[in-house]
Amino acid sequence: MERSELVALLSPEGLRLLDSLPPYRSEKDVLRIVSDLRKQGHSPALVAAVLTQSKLRRKAQAKFGDFASSMLFTEAGLEQATRLPVAARHAGRFRAAGLGRVADLGCGIGGDALALAALELEVTAVDADEVTAAIASFNLAPFPTATVEQRRAEDVDLRAIDGVFLDPARRTAGHTQTERLVDPDDYTPSLGFAYELATGRSVGLKLGPGFDRDLIPSTAEAQWVSADGQVVELGLWFGALARPGIRRAALVLRGDQADELVADADSVDEETGPLGEYLYEPDGAVIRARLIGDLARRLGGRMLSEQIAYVTADAPVETPFASGFRILETLPAGEKDLRRALRQRGIGTLEIKKRGVDVDPAALRKRLALNGDRPATLILTRVAGRHTALLAERI
């Protein structure tokens, strides 16, 4: 978003126009809406701004729910924004630790600051980008305990602050079409700045779930979070924000339910063993946290194969930390024989899971060209070092 578009959007005319638009549905409506708005005399900059916001508000519902309809966004800011249920848990940590005055450095569009302010914590939200800071100010305006500053994180006076939350920009500068940064030293603020700040302070640091584990300090609690099956972040917690005795955690959020697997270190994998009647695919947060061994022991199971994140067991166990499957039979692994076997069983709708096998599930599904009326799950993996195809059903 350009500054001129933001100025137009934040005008009384712009905000009224935005709120008057019907919910964004598809690109097919855009030409008609543009034509109607231009006929009404609205400027091209304002029309572009309100249509962009309408589209972003629809997209933001996945992260912010009903709150999205009263917020403003940039494309890049929404991409990196914390989902509201996850942000609420961030804020809960600060409140539980008794940290009433919080600085949110690199606040983006203000998602985490919003959750902090909703708990009536005093939050100073900071972002170096002028447009982003202005949007954060709009989003946080309903909360009297929140203030917004446009400045670099490194320049903020923290003497009156109890705790700090950092969500470093992990993409190139800009509001649209940004690219992911690979080197943590290129983050804004940098990883080095964040770690230095965490020395002697209570700090929460949000990072991408694929962050290099070798760069995680031994003093931090590392918590991987998945939301509705997608691993969304790694949180590093220092000082009073880190829970005693916990260094690895996998938080699994599904709807309103939250479950957590915790340990004081990476868990040791169980031994490998024969394929049982049941197979479990650990949640991505459990895999990232390297707590598969602990999960396997909870399930009374064993590893199906070394270096492959599947657990097999002889009895069904209900768990929020893995998807469970009952193995129906072992099928031929060769594609031609596999196609014949699936057709003989009347399989038409096929979910394909794979680990330890180099195959593109979408391309394979197309090549199999199934047309039966039965649904099934096909698990492609290695058992005792051999490529294996397992016909299964979810439990």
Side-chain angles (χ1 to χ4, degrees):
M1 179 186 297
E2 299 297 329
R3 189 178 186 278
S4 60
E5 290 184 349
L6 178 64
V7 170
L9 180 63
L10 291 178
S11 68
E13 176 194 5
L15 294 175
R16 283 195 301 268
L17 183 60
L18 174 60
D19 289 338
S20 72
L21 290 181
Y24 179 91
R25 288 187 171 84
S26 70
E27 295 288 349
K28 294 180 181 179
D29 298 328
V30 170
L31 290 178
R32 176 183 57 79
I33 295 174
V34 168
S35 177
D36 290 345
L37 295 181
R38 294 293 292 122
K39 287 178 182 178
Q40 295 170 22
H42 299 295
S43 69
L46 179 57
V47 171
V50 296
L51 286 177
T52 297
Q53 286 303 312
S54 180
K55 182 177 181 179
L56 289 174
R57 280 181 169 181
R58 181 188 181 191
K59 185 178 180 181
Q61 289 176 356
K63 286 188 173 184
F64 292 95
D66 293 340
F67 286 93
S69 64
S70 59
M71 297 175 66
L72 298 181
F73 304 94
T74 65
E75 183 178 320
L78 177 57
E79 176 73 22
Q80 191 161 317
T82 305
R83 296 166 184 248
L84 197 55
V86 181
R89 293 189 168 271
H90 295 166
R93 280 209 189 227
F94 284 89
R95 184 173 65 177
L99 306 175
R101 296 169 298 181
V102 182
D104 180 0
L105 305 183
C107 68
I109 55 94
D112 278 289
L114 187 152
L116 290 161
L119 294 183
E120 298 184 347
L121 302 178
E122 293 182 26
V123 55
T124 301
V126 179
D127 202 280
D129 182 75
E130 179 185 16
V131 170
T132 304
I135 286 178
S137 295
F138 178 89
N139 292 336
L140 291 168
F143 299 93
T145 63
T147 59
V148 179
E149 298 180 7
Q150 183 205 342
R151 65 177 65 211
R152 296 170 65 248
E154 296 88 343
D155 298 334
V156 177
D157 184 353
L158 299 175
R159 285 176 294 182
I161 295 297
D162 301 322
V164 176
F165 183 78
L166 293 100
D167 183 1
R170 301 183 297 279
R171 304 185 72 89
T172 53
H175 306 128
T176 61
Q177 298 179 340
T178 58
E179 297 180 0
R180 192 174 301 278
L181 297 170
V182 177
D183 189 344
D185 288 335
D186 293 332
Y187 294 172
T188 307
S190 70
L191 185 65
F193 170 80
Y195 282 174
E196 183 177 356
L197 201 63
T199 303
R201 279 188 176 274
S202 295
V203 170
L205 175 60
K206 176 187 169 183
L207 298 166
F211 181 76
D212 187 347
R213 296 173 105 264
D214 291 337
L215 298 179
I216 298 174
S218 60
T219 55
E221 174 195 333
Q223 181 192 57
W224 285 262
V225 181
S226 73
D228 298 322
Q230 179 186 0
V231 188
V232 294
E233 71 171 54
L234 163 63
L236 298 184
W237 303 97
F238 300 84
L241 294 167
R243 294 169 292 181
I246 297 177
R247 286 295 176 264
R248 298 291 180 264
L251 176 62
V252 177
L253 305 175
R254 292 189 181 275
D256 295 332
Q257 182 178 344
D259 298 277
E260 192 174 28
L261 196 61
V262 300
D264 60 0
D266 295 355
S267 70
V268 177
D269 283 348
E270 277 291 283
E271 296 293 326
T272 59
L275 175 66
E277 186 177 353
Y278 296 90
L279 183 141
Y280 295 88
E281 179 182 38
D283 183 90
V286 175
I287 296 173
R288 294 281 190 181
R290 293 188 184 170
L291 297 179
I292 303 172
D294 285 351
L295 175 61
R297 288 180 278 278
R298 285 188 175 210
L299 298 172
R302 52 201 173 268
M303 303 304 297
L304 184 62
S305 187
E306 291 185 1
Q307 306 300 316
I308 294 180
Y310 279 143
V311 174
T312 187
D314 302 316
V317 179
E318 187 174 347
T319 176
F321 302 115
S323 299
F325 303 87
R326 185 169 74 90
I327 304 302
L328 302 176
E329 59 181 313
T330 300
L331 299 181
E335 189 172 314
K336 183 177 179 180
D337 293 334
L338 177 62
R339 182 189 303 111
R340 182 184 302 112
L342 291 170
R343 288 179 174 178
Q344 288 174 347
R345 288 155 179 78
I347 305 300
T349 304
L350 190 65
E351 174 191 28
I352 301 177
K353 312 287 291 184
K354 61 109 176 183
R355 287 193 181 278
V357 176
D358 185 14
V359 64
D360 180 344
L364 174 61
R365 188 182 296 106
K366 185 176 181 179
R367 291 197 303 271
L368 291 173
L370 302 175
N371 57 8
D373 56 6
R374 291 181 55 199
T377 297
L378 181 67
I379 300 172
L380 303 175
T381 186
R382 295 199 307 268
V383 178
R386 299 180 61 182
H387 286 191
T388 303
L390 303 172
L391 190 64
E393 62 181 6
R394 284 184 175 267
I395 57 174

